[in-house]
Coordinates of all heavy atoms in Angstrom, one line a residue:
M1 N 10.3 10.9 -15.9 CA 9.4 10.0 -15.3 C 10.1 9.1 -14.3 O 11.1 8.5 -14.6 CB 8.7 9.2 -16.4 CG 8.4 7.8 -16.2 SD 7.7 6.9 -17.6 CE 8.7 7.5 -18.9
E2 N 9.7 9.2 -13.0 CA 10.4 8.6 -11.9 C 9.4 7.8 -11.1 O 8.3 8.3 -10.9 CB 11.1 9.6 -11.1 CG 12.0 9.0 -10.0 CD 12.7 10.1 -9.3 OE1 13.4 10.9 -9.9 OE2 12.6 10.1 -8.0
L3 N 9.8 6.6 -10.6 CA 9.0 5.9 -9.7 C 9.2 6.4 -8.3 O 10.3 6.6 -7.9 CB 9.3 4.4 -9.8 CG 9.0 3.7 -11.2 CD1 9.5 2.3 -11.2 CD2 7.5 3.8 -11.5
D4 N 8.1 6.6 -7.6 CA 8.2 7.1 -6.2 C 9.0 6.2 -5.3 O 8.6 5.0 -5.1 CB 6.8 7.3 -5.7 CG 6.7 7.9 -4.4 OD1 7.6 7.8 -3.5 OD2 5.6 8.5 -4.1
P5 N 10.1 6.6 -4.8 CA 11.0 5.8 -4.0 C 10.3 5.3 -2.7 O 10.6 4.2 -2.2 CB 12.2 6.6 -3.7 CG 11.8 8.0 -3.9 CD 10.7 8.0 -4.9
V6 N 9.3 6.1 -2.2 CA 8.6 5.6 -1.0 C 7.8 4.4 -1.3 O 7.8 3.5 -0.5 CB 7.7 6.8 -0.4 CG1 6.9 6.3 0.7 CG2 8.6 8.0 0.0
I7 N 7.1 4.4 -2.4 CA 6.3 3.2 -2.8 C 7.1 2.1 -3.4 O 6.7 0.9 -3.3 CB 5.2 3.7 -3.8 CG1 4.2 4.7 -3.1 CG2 4.4 2.5 -4.3 CD1 3.2 5.3 -4.0
H8 N 8.2 2.4 -4.0 CA 8.9 1.4 -4.9 C 9.4 0.2 -4.1 O 9.5 -0.9 -4.7 CB 10.1 2.1 -5.6 CG 10.6 1.3 -6.7 ND1 9.9 0.9 -7.8 CD2 11.9 0.7 -6.8 CE1 10.7 0.1 -8.6 NE2 11.9 0.0 -8.0
A9 N 9.7 0.3 -2.8 CA 10.1 -0.9 -2.1 C 9.0 -1.9 -2.2 O 7.9 -1.6 -2.0 CB 10.4 -0.5 -0.6
P10 N 9.4 -3.2 -2.5 CA 8.4 -4.2 -2.8 C 7.3 -4.3 -1.7 O 6.1 -4.4 -2.0 CB 9.2 -5.5 -2.9 CG 10.5 -5.0 -3.4 CD 10.7 -3.7 -2.7
T11 N 7.7 -4.3 -0.4 CA 6.7 -4.5 0.7 C 5.8 -3.3 0.7 O 4.6 -3.4 0.9 CB 7.4 -4.7 2.0 OG1 8.2 -5.9 1.9 CG2 6.4 -4.9 3.1
R12 N 6.3 -2.1 0.5 CA 5.5 -0.9 0.6 C 4.5 -0.9 -0.6 O 3.4 -0.5 -0.5 CB 6.3 0.4 0.6 CG 7.0 0.6 1.9 CD 7.7 1.9 2.0 NE 8.9 1.6 2.7 CZ 10.1 2.2 2.5 NH1 10.2 3.2 1.6 NH2 11.2 1.9 3.2
L13 N 5.0 -1.3 -1.8 CA 4.2 -1.4 -2.9 C 3.0 -2.4 -2.7 O 1.9 -2.1 -3.0 CB 5.0 -1.8 -4.2 CG 4.2 -2.0 -5.5 CD1 3.5 -0.7 -5.8 CD2 5.2 -2.4 -6.6
Q14 N 3.3 -3.5 -2.1 CA 2.2 -4.5 -1.7 C 1.2 -3.9 -0.7 O 0.0 -4.1 -0.9 CB 2.8 -5.7 -1.1 CG 3.6 -6.6 -2.1 CD 4.2 -7.8 -1.5 OE1 5.0 -7.7 -0.6 NE2 3.7 -9.0 -1.8
I15 N 1.7 -3.1 0.3 CA 0.8 -2.5 1.3 C -0.1 -1.5 0.6 O -1.3 -1.5 0.8 CB 1.6 -1.8 2.4 CG1 2.4 -2.8 3.2 CG2 0.7 -1.0 3.3 CD1 3.5 -2.2 4.1
V16 N 0.5 -0.6 -0.2 CA -0.3 0.4 -0.9 C -1.3 -0.2 -1.8 O -2.4 0.2 -1.9 CB 0.6 1.5 -1.6 CG1 -0.1 2.4 -2.4 CG2 1.5 2.2 -0.5
S17 N -0.9 -1.2 -2.6 CA -1.8 -1.9 -3.5 C -2.9 -2.5 -2.8 O -4.1 -2.4 -3.2 CB -1.0 -2.9 -4.3 OG -1.8 -3.6 -5.2
L18 N -2.7 -3.2 -1.7 CA -3.7 -3.8 -0.9 C -4.7 -2.7 -0.3 O -5.9 -2.9 -0.4 CB -3.1 -4.6 0.2 CG -4.1 -5.4 1.2 CD1 -4.8 -6.4 0.4 CD2 -3.3 -6.0 2.3
L19 N -4.1 -1.7 0.2 CA -5.0 -0.6 0.8 C -5.8 0.1 -0.3 O -6.9 0.7 0.0 CB -4.1 0.4 1.6 CG -3.5 -0.2 2.8 CD1 -2.6 0.8 3.5 CD2 -4.5 -0.8 3.8
A20 N -5.3 0.2 -1.5 CA -6.0 0.9 -2.6 C -7.3 0.2 -2.9 O -8.2 0.8 -3.4 CB -5.1 1.0 -3.8
A21 N -7.4 -1.1 -2.6 CA -8.6 -1.9 -2.8 C -9.6 -1.9 -1.7 O -10.6 -2.6 -1.7 CB -8.2 -3.3 -3.2
A22 N -9.3 -1.2 -0.6 CA -10.1 -1.3 0.6 C -10.2 0.1 1.2 O -9.4 1.0 1.0 CB -9.5 -2.2 1.6
D23 N -11.3 0.3 2.1 CA -11.4 1.5 2.8 C -10.4 1.6 3.9 O -9.7 2.6 4.2 CB -12.8 1.6 3.3 CG -13.0 2.9 4.1 OD1 -12.6 4.0 3.6 OD2 -13.6 2.9 5.2
E24 N -10.2 0.4 4.6 CA -9.3 0.3 5.7 C -9.0 -1.2 5.9 O -9.8 -2.0 5.6 CB -10.1 0.9 6.9 CG -9.3 1.0 8.2 CD -10.1 1.7 9.3 OE1 -11.1 1.1 9.8 OE2 -9.7 2.7 9.7
A25 N -7.8 -1.4 6.4 CA -7.4 -2.8 6.7 C -6.7 -3.0 8.0 O -5.9 -2.2 8.4 CB -6.5 -3.4 5.6
E26 N -7.1 -4.0 8.8 CA -6.5 -4.3 10.1 C -5.1 -4.9 9.9 O -4.8 -5.6 9.0 CB -7.4 -5.3 10.8 CG -7.2 -5.3 12.3 CD -6.2 -6.3 12.8 OE1 -6.2 -7.4 12.2 OE2 -5.4 -6.0 13.7
F27 N -4.2 -4.5 10.8 CA -2.8 -4.9 10.8 C -2.6 -6.3 10.5 O -1.8 -6.7 9.7 CB -2.2 -4.5 12.2 CG -0.7 -4.7 12.2 CD1 0.2 -3.6 12.0 CD2 -0.2 -5.9 12.6 CE1 1.6 -3.8 12.1 CE2 1.2 -6.1 12.6 CZ 2.1 -5.1 12.4
A28 N -3.3 -7.2 11.3 CA -3.1 -8.7 11.1 C -3.5 -9.1 9.7 O -2.8 -10.0 9.2 CB -3.9 -9.4 12.2
F29 N -4.5 -8.5 9.2 CA -5.0 -8.9 7.8 C -3.9 -8.5 6.8 O -3.5 -9.3 5.9 CB -6.3 -8.2 7.5 CG -6.7 -8.4 6.0 CD1 -7.3 -9.6 5.6 CD2 -6.5 -7.4 5.1 CE1 -7.6 -9.8 4.3 CE2 -6.8 -7.6 3.8 CZ -7.4 -8.8 3.4
V30 N -3.3 -7.3 6.9 CA -2.3 -6.9 6.0 C -1.1 -7.8 6.2 O -0.5 -8.3 5.2 CB -1.9 -5.4 6.2 CG1 -0.8 -5.0 5.3 CG2 -3.1 -4.5 6.0
R31 N -0.7 -8.0 7.4 CA 0.5 -8.9 7.7 C 0.3 -10.3 7.1 O 1.2 -10.8 6.4 CB 0.7 -9.0 9.2 CG 1.9 -9.8 9.6 CD 1.7 -10.3 11.1 NE 0.5 -11.1 11.3 CZ -0.2 -11.1 12.4 NH1 0.1 -10.3 13.4 NH2 -1.3 -11.8 12.5
D32 N -0.8 -10.9 7.4 CA -1.0 -12.2 6.9 C -1.2 -12.3 5.4 O -0.7 -13.2 4.7 CB -2.3 -12.8 7.5 CG -2.1 -13.0 9.0 OD1 -0.9 -12.9 9.6 OD2 -3.1 -13.2 9.7
T33 N -1.8 -11.3 4.8 CA -2.0 -11.3 3.3 C -0.6 -11.1 2.6 O -0.4 -11.8 1.6 CB -2.9 -10.1 2.9 OG1 -4.2 -10.3 3.5 CG2 -3.1 -10.1 1.4
L34 N 0.2 -10.3 3.2 CA 1.6 -10.1 2.6 C 2.6 -11.1 3.0 O 3.6 -11.3 2.3 CB 2.1 -8.7 3.0 CG 1.7 -7.5 2.1 CD1 0.2 -7.4 1.9 CD2 2.3 -6.2 2.6
G35 N 2.3 -11.9 4.1 CA 3.2 -12.9 4.5 C 4.5 -12.3 5.1 O 5.6 -12.8 4.9
V36 N 4.4 -11.2 5.9 CA 5.5 -10.6 6.5 C 5.4 -10.6 8.0 O 4.3 -10.9 8.5 CB 5.7 -9.1 6.0 CG1 5.9 -9.0 4.5 CG2 4.5 -8.2 6.4
S37 N 6.5 -10.3 8.7 CA 6.4 -10.3 10.1 C 5.8 -9.0 10.7 O 5.7 -8.0 9.9 CB 7.9 -10.4 10.7 OG 8.6 -9.3 10.4
D38 N 5.5 -9.0 11.9 CA 5.0 -7.7 12.6 C 6.0 -6.6 12.4 O 5.6 -5.5 12.1 CB 4.7 -8.0 14.0 CG 3.5 -8.8 14.3 OD1 2.8 -9.2 13.4 OD2 3.2 -9.1 15.5
S39 N 7.3 -6.9 12.6 CA 8.3 -5.8 12.6 C 8.5 -5.3 11.2 O 8.6 -4.1 11.0 CB 9.6 -6.3 13.2 OG 10.1 -7.4 12.4
V40 N 8.4 -6.1 10.2 CA 8.5 -5.7 8.8 C 7.4 -4.8 8.5 O 7.5 -3.7 7.9 CB 8.7 -6.8 7.8 CG1 8.5 -6.4 6.4 CG2 10.0 -7.5 8.0
L41 N 6.2 -5.2 8.8 CA 5.0 -4.4 8.5 C 5.0 -3.1 9.3 O 4.7 -2.0 8.7 CB 3.7 -5.2 8.8 CG 2.4 -4.4 8.5 CD1 2.3 -3.9 7.1 CD2 1.2 -5.3 8.8
S42 N 5.4 -3.1 10.5 CA 5.5 -1.9 11.3 C 6.5 -0.9 10.7 O 6.2 0.3 10.6 CB 5.9 -2.2 12.7 OG 4.9 -2.9 13.4
K43 N 7.6 -1.4 10.3 CA 8.7 -0.5 9.7 C 8.2 0.1 8.4 O 8.3 1.3 8.2 CB 9.9 -1.4 9.4 CG 11.0 -0.6 8.7 CD 12.2 -1.5 8.4 CE 13.2 -0.8 7.5 NZ 14.2 -1.7 7.0
H44 N 7.6 -0.7 7.5 CA 7.1 -0.1 6.2 C 5.9 0.7 6.4 O 5.7 1.7 5.7 CB 6.9 -1.2 5.2 CG 8.2 -1.8 4.8 ND1 9.1 -1.1 4.0 CD2 8.8 -3.0 5.0 CE1 10.2 -1.9 3.7 NE2 10.0 -3.0 4.3
G45 N 5.0 0.3 7.3 CA 3.8 1.1 7.6 C 4.2 2.5 8.2 O 3.6 3.5 7.8
S46 N 5.2 2.5 9.0 CA 5.7 3.8 9.6 C 6.3 4.7 8.5 O 6.1 5.9 8.5 CB 6.8 3.6 10.6 OG 6.2 3.0 11.8
A47 N 7.0 4.1 7.5 CA 7.6 4.9 6.4 C 6.5 5.5 5.6 O 6.6 6.7 5.1 CB 8.5 4.0 5.6
L48 N 5.4 4.7 5.3 CA 4.3 5.2 4.5 C 3.5 6.3 5.3 O 3.1 7.3 4.7 CB 3.4 4.0 4.1 CG 4.0 3.1 3.1 CD1 3.2 1.8 3.0 CD2 4.1 3.7 1.7
E49 N 3.4 6.1 6.6 CA 2.7 7.1 7.4 C 3.6 8.4 7.4 O 3.0 9.5 7.3 CB 2.5 6.6 8.8 CG 1.8 7.6 9.7 CD 1.6 7.0 11.1 OE1 2.5 6.2 11.6 OE2 0.6 7.4 11.8
A50 N 4.9 8.3 7.6 CA 5.7 9.5 7.6 C 5.6 10.3 6.3 O 5.7 11.5 6.3 CB 7.2 9.1 7.9
A51 N 5.4 9.6 5.2 CA 5.3 10.2 3.9 C 3.9 10.8 3.7 O 3.6 11.5 2.7 CB 5.6 9.2 2.8
G52 N 3.0 10.5 4.6 CA 1.6 11.0 4.5 C 0.7 10.1 3.5 O -0.4 10.5 3.2
Y53 N 1.2 8.9 3.2 CA 0.5 8.0 2.3 C -0.5 7.1 3.0 O -1.4 6.7 2.4 CB 1.5 7.2 1.5 CG 2.3 7.9 0.5 CD1 3.3 7.3 -0.3 CD2 2.2 9.3 0.3 CE1 4.1 7.9 -1.2 CE2 3.0 10.0 -0.6 CZ 3.9 9.3 -1.4 OH 4.7 10.0 -2.3
V54 N -0.2 6.9 4.3 CA -1.1 6.0 5.0 C -1.4 6.6 6.4 O -0.6 7.2 7.0 CB -0.4 4.6 5.3 CG1 -1.1 3.7 6.3 CG2 -0.2 3.8 4.0
A55 N -2.7 6.5 6.8 CA -3.1 6.9 8.1 C -3.2 5.7 9.0 O -3.7 4.6 8.5 CB -4.5 7.6 8.0
V56 N -2.7 5.8 10.2 CA -2.8 4.6 11.1 C -3.7 5.0 12.2 O -3.7 6.1 12.8 CB -1.3 4.4 11.7 CG1 -1.4 3.2 12.7 CG2 -0.4 4.0 10.6
R57 N -4.7 4.1 12.5 CA -5.6 4.3 13.6 C -5.5 3.1 14.6 O -5.4 2.0 14.2 CB -7.0 4.3 13.0 CG -8.1 4.4 14.0 CD -9.5 4.6 13.3 NE -10.0 3.4 12.7 CZ -10.7 2.4 13.3 NH1 -10.9 2.5 14.6 NH2 -11.1 1.3 12.6
K58 N -5.4 3.5 15.8 CA -5.3 2.5 16.9 C -6.6 2.5 17.7 O -7.1 3.6 17.9 CB -4.1 2.7 17.7 CG -2.8 2.6 16.9 CD -1.6 2.7 17.8 CE -0.3 2.6 17.0 NZ 0.1 1.2 16.8
G59 N -7.0 1.4 18.2 CA -8.2 1.3 19.0 C -8.3 -0.1 19.6 O -7.3 -0.8 19.7
Y60 N -9.4 -0.4 20.1 CA -9.6 -1.7 20.8 C -10.9 -2.4 20.2 O -11.8 -1.7 19.8 CB -9.9 -1.5 22.3 CG -8.6 -1.1 23.0 CD1 -8.2 0.2 23.1 CD2 -7.8 -2.1 23.6 CE1 -7.0 0.6 23.7 CE2 -6.6 -1.7 24.2 CZ -6.3 -0.4 24.3 OH -5.1 -0.1 25.0
V61 N -10.8 -3.7 20.1 CA -11.9 -4.5 19.9 C -12.1 -5.4 21.1 O -11.2 -6.2 21.4 CB -11.7 -5.4 18.6 CG1 -12.9 -6.4 18.4 CG2 -11.6 -4.5 17.4
G62 N -13.1 -5.1 21.9 CA -13.2 -5.6 23.2 C -12.0 -5.1 24.0 O -11.8 -3.9 24.1
K63 N -11.2 -6.0 24.6 CA -10.0 -5.5 25.4 C -8.7 -5.7 24.6 O -7.7 -5.4 25.1 CB -9.9 -6.3 26.7 CG -11.1 -6.0 27.6 CD -10.9 -6.7 28.9 CE -12.1 -6.4 29.9 NZ -11.9 -6.9 31.2
R64 N -8.8 -6.1 23.3 CA -7.6 -6.3 22.5 C -7.3 -5.1 21.7 O -8.1 -4.5 21.0 CB -7.9 -7.5 21.6 CG -8.1 -8.8 22.4 CD -8.2 -9.9 21.4 NE -6.9 -10.0 20.8 CZ -6.1 -11.1 20.8 NH1 -6.5 -12.2 21.4 NH2 -5.0 -11.1 20.2
P65 N -6.0 -4.6 21.8 CA -5.6 -3.5 21.0 C -5.5 -3.9 19.5 O -5.1 -5.0 19.2 CB -4.2 -3.1 21.6 CG -3.7 -4.4 22.2 CD -5.0 -5.1 22.7
K66 N -5.9 -3.0 18.7 CA -5.9 -3.3 17.2 C -5.3 -2.0 16.5 O -5.5 -0.9 17.0 CB -7.3 -3.6 16.7 CG -7.9 -4.8 17.2 CD -7.3 -6.0 16.6 CE -8.1 -7.3 17.1 NZ -7.6 -8.5 16.6
T67 N -4.8 -2.2 15.3 CA -4.2 -1.2 14.5 C -4.8 -1.3 13.1 O -4.9 -2.5 12.6 CB -2.7 -1.2 14.4 OG1 -2.2 -1.1 15.8 CG2 -2.1 -0.1 13.6
W68 N -5.3 -0.2 12.5 CA -5.8 -0.2 11.2 C -5.0 0.7 10.3 O -4.6 1.8 10.8 CB -7.3 0.2 11.2 CG -8.2 -0.8 11.8 CD1 -8.9 -1.8 11.3 CD2 -8.5 -0.8 13.2 NE1 -9.6 -2.5 12.2 CE2 -9.5 -1.9 13.4 CE3 -8.2 0.0 14.3 CZ2 -10.0 -2.2 14.6 CZ3 -8.7 -0.3 15.6 CH2 -9.6 -1.4 15.7
F69 N -4.9 0.4 9.0 CA -4.2 1.2 8.0 C -5.2 1.7 7.0 O -6.1 0.9 6.7 CB -3.1 0.4 7.3 CG -2.0 0.0 8.1 CD1 -1.7 -1.4 8.3 CD2 -1.1 0.9 8.7 CE1 -0.6 -1.8 9.0 CE2 0.0 0.5 9.4 CZ 0.2 -0.9 9.6
K70 N -5.1 2.9 6.6 CA -5.9 3.4 5.5 C -5.1 4.3 4.6 O -4.3 5.1 5.0 CB -7.0 4.3 6.2 CG -8.0 4.9 5.2 CD -9.1 5.7 5.9 CE -10.0 6.2 4.8 NZ -11.3 6.5 5.4
L71 N -5.3 4.1 3.3 CA -4.6 4.9 2.3 C -5.2 6.3 2.3 O -6.4 6.5 2.3 CB -4.8 4.3 0.9 CG -3.8 4.7 -0.2 CD1 -2.4 4.4 0.2 CD2 -4.2 3.9 -1.5
T72 N -4.4 7.3 2.4 CA -4.8 8.7 2.4 C -5.1 9.2 1.0 O -4.7 8.5 0.0 CB -3.8 9.6 3.1 OG1 -2.6 9.6 2.3 CG2 -3.5 9.2 4.5
G73 N -5.7 10.3 0.8 CA -5.8 10.9 -0.5 C -4.5 11.1 -1.2 O -4.3 10.8 -2.4
K74 N -3.5 11.6 -0.4 CA -2.1 11.7 -1.0 C -1.6 10.4 -1.4 O -0.9 10.3 -2.4 CB -1.3 12.4 0.1 CG 0.2 12.7 -0.3 CD 1.0 13.4 0.8 CE 2.4 13.6 0.4 NZ 3.2 14.2 1.4
G75 N -1.8 9.4 -0.6 CA -1.3 8.0 -0.9 C -1.9 7.4 -2.1 O -1.3 6.8 -2.9
R76 N -3.2 7.7 -2.2 CA -4.0 7.2 -3.4 C -3.5 7.8 -4.7 O -3.2 7.2 -5.7 CB -5.5 7.4 -3.2 CG -6.3 6.6 -4.2 CD -7.8 6.6 -3.8 NE -8.0 5.9 -2.6 CZ -8.1 4.6 -2.4 NH1 -7.9 3.8 -3.4 NH2 -8.3 4.1 -1.2
A77 N -3.2 9.2 -4.6 CA -2.7 9.9 -5.8 C -1.3 9.4 -6.1 O -1.0 9.3 -7.3 CB -2.7 11.4 -5.5
A78 N -0.5 9.2 -5.1 CA 0.9 8.7 -5.3 C 0.9 7.3 -6.0 O 1.7 7.1 -6.9 CB 1.7 8.7 -4.0
F79 N 0.0 6.5 -5.5 CA -0.1 5.1 -6.1 C -0.6 5.2 -7.5 O 0.0 4.5 -8.4 CB -1.0 4.3 -5.2 CG -1.2 2.9 -5.7 CD1 -0.1 2.0 -5.8 CD2 -2.4 2.4 -6.1 CE1 -0.2 0.7 -6.3 CE2 -2.6 1.1 -6.6 CZ -1.5 0.2 -6.7
T80 N -1.6 6.0 -7.8 CA -2.1 6.1 -9.2 C -0.9 6.6 -10.1 O -0.7 6.1 -11.2 CB -3.3 7.1 -9.2 OG1 -4.3 6.6 -8.4 CG2 -3.8 7.3 -10.6
A81 N -0.2 7.7 -9.6 CA 0.9 8.2 -10.4 C 2.0 7.1 -10.6 O 2.6 7.0 -11.7 CB 1.5 9.4 -9.7
Y82 N 2.3 6.3 -9.6 CA 3.2 5.2 -9.6 C 2.9 4.2 -10.7 O 3.7 3.9 -11.6 CB 3.4 4.5 -8.3 CG 4.4 3.5 -8.2 CD1 5.7 3.7 -7.8 CD2 4.1 2.2 -8.6 CE1 6.7 2.7 -7.8 CE2 5.1 1.2 -8.6 CZ 6.3 1.5 -8.2 OH 7.3 0.5 -8.2
V83 N 1.6 3.8 -10.7 CA 1.1 2.8 -11.7 C 1.2 3.4 -13.1 O 1.6 2.7 -14.1 CB -0.3 2.3 -11.4 CG1 -0.9 1.5 -12.5 CG2 -0.3 1.5 -10.0
E84 N 0.8 4.7 -13.3 CA 0.9 5.3 -14.6 C 2.3 5.4 -15.1 O 2.6 5.2 -16.3 CB 0.2 6.7 -14.5 CG -1.3 6.7 -14.3 CD -1.9 8.0 -14.0 OE1 -1.1 9.0 -13.8 OE2 -3.1 8.1 -14.0
N85 N 3.2 5.8 -14.2 CA 4.6 5.9 -14.6 C 5.2 4.5 -14.9 O 6.0 4.3 -15.9 CB 5.5 6.5 -13.5 CG 5.3 8.0 -13.5 OD1 4.9 8.6 -14.5 ND2 5.5 8.6 -12.3
L86 N 4.8 3.5 -14.1 CA 5.3 2.1 -14.4 C 4.8 1.7 -15.8 O 5.5 1.0 -16.6 CB 4.8 1.2 -13.3 CG 5.3 -0.3 -13.4 CD1 6.8 -0.3 -13.4 CD2 4.7 -1.1 -12.2
Q87 N 3.5 2.0 -16.1 CA 2.9 1.7 -17.4 C 3.7 2.3 -18.5 O 4.0 1.7 -19.5 CB 1.5 2.1 -17.5 CG 0.8 1.7 -18.8 CD 0.9 0.3 -19.2 OE1 0.7 -0.6 -18.4 NE2 1.3 0.0 -20.4
R88 N 4.1 3.6 -18.4 CA 4.9 4.3 -19.4 C 6.3 3.6 -19.6 O 6.8 3.5 -20.7 CB 5.1 5.7 -19.0 CG 3.9 6.6 -19.2 CD 4.2 8.1 -19.0 NE 3.0 8.8 -18.8 CZ 2.5 9.1 -17.6 NH1 3.2 8.8 -16.5 NH2 1.4 9.8 -17.4
I89 N 6.8 3.1 -18.5 CA 8.1 2.4 -18.6 C 8.0 1.1 -19.3 O 8.9 0.8 -20.2 CB 8.7 2.2 -17.2 CG1 9.1 3.6 -16.6 CG2 9.9 1.3 -17.2 CD1 9.4 3.5 -15.1
V90 N 7.0 0.3 -19.1 CA 6.9 -1.0 -19.7 C 6.2 -1.0 -21.0 O 6.3 -2.0 -21.8 CB 6.1 -2.0 -18.7 CG1 6.9 -2.2 -17.4 CG2 4.7 -1.7 -18.5
A91 N 5.5 0.1 -21.4 CA 4.8 0.2 -22.7 C 5.6 -0.2 -23.9 O 5.1 -0.9 -24.8 CB 4.1 1.6 -22.8
P92 N 6.8 0.2 -24.0 CA 7.6 -0.1 -25.2 C 7.7 -1.7 -25.4 O 8.0 -2.1 -26.6 CB 9.0 0.5 -25.0 CG 8.7 1.7 -24.1 CD 7.6 1.2 -23.2
S93 N 7.6 -2.4 -24.4 CA 7.7 -3.9 -24.5 C 6.5 -4.5 -25.1 O 6.5 -5.7 -25.4 CB 8.0 -4.5 -23.1 OG 6.8 -4.4 -22.3
G94 N 5.4 -3.7 -25.1 CA 4.1 -4.3 -25.5 C 3.3 -4.9 -24.4 O 2.2 -5.4 -24.6
L95 N 3.9 -4.9 -23.2 CA 3.2 -5.4 -22.0 C 2.4 -4.3 -21.3 O 2.7 -3.1 -21.6 CB 4.2 -6.1 -21.1 CG 4.9 -7.3 -21.7 CD1 5.9 -7.8 -20.7 CD2 3.9 -8.4 -22.0
S96 N 1.6 -4.6 -20.4 CA 0.8 -3.6 -19.7 C 0.6 -4.0 -18.2 O 0.5 -5.2 -17.9 CB -0.6 -3.5 -20.3 OG -1.4 -2.6 -19.6
V97 N 0.7 -3.0 -17.4 CA 0.4 -3.2 -15.9 C -1.0 -2.9 -15.6 O -1.5 -3.1 -14.6 CB 1.3 -2.4 -15.0 CG1 2.8 -2.9 -15.2 CG2 1.2 -0.9 -15.2
V98 N -1.7 -2.3 -16.6 CA -3.1 -1.9 -16.5 C -4.0 -2.9 -17.3 O -3.6 -3.2 -18.5 CB -3.3 -0.5 -17.1 CG1 -4.8 -0.1 -16.9 CG2 -2.4 0.5 -16.3
P99 N -5.0 -3.5 -16.7 CA -5.8 -4.4 -17.5 C -6.4 -3.8 -18.7 O -6.8 -2.7 -18.8 CB -7.0 -4.8 -16.5 CG -6.7 -4.1 -15.2 CD -5.5 -3.2 -15.4
D100 N -6.5 -4.7 -19.7 CA -7.2 -4.3 -21.0 C -8.7 -4.2 -20.8 O -9.3 -5.1 -20.5 CB -6.8 -5.3 -22.1 CG -7.3 -4.9 -23.5 OD1 -8.0 -3.9 -23.6 OD2 -7.0 -5.6 -24.4
E101 N -9.2 -3.0 -21.0 CA -10.6 -2.7 -20.7 C -11.5 -3.2 -21.9 O -12.7 -3.2 -21.8 CB -10.9 -1.3 -20.4 CG -10.2 -0.9 -19.1 CD -10.5 0.6 -18.7 OE1 -11.4 1.2 -19.3 OE2 -9.8 1.1 -17.8
R102 N -10.9 -3.6 -23.0 CA -11.7 -4.0 -24.1 C -12.4 -5.4 -23.9 O -13.3 -5.8 -24.5 CB -10.9 -4.1 -25.4 CG -10.4 -2.7 -25.8 CD -9.5 -2.8 -27.0 NE -8.2 -3.3 -26.5 CZ -7.2 -3.7 -27.3 NH1 -7.3 -3.7 -28.6 NH2 -6.1 -4.0 -26.7
G103 N -11.8 -6.2 -22.9 CA -12.1 -7.4 -22.4 C -13.2 -8.2 -22.8 O -13.7 -9.1 -22.8

């Protein structure tokens, strides 16, 4: 059981986690939510795109250029596997990364 090294970097994990909860997210929203700089988000977004985990769409809103990120099917599967493996790692402690559904 291994944690995916592409996702494991903290900023990339935050990006993938945020995108897993949305259909698509605009660059500035992701940047501001994570509290990172444009260059940090660009670097990690590019790494996720190169792995096929994130699709990047560029366009315009009015005359302003915009960039959107979307988790791909491959990225969603990788994130799900990552969370499942993390759960297996922490399970012996009695803790959980998955919410208790008995709630």
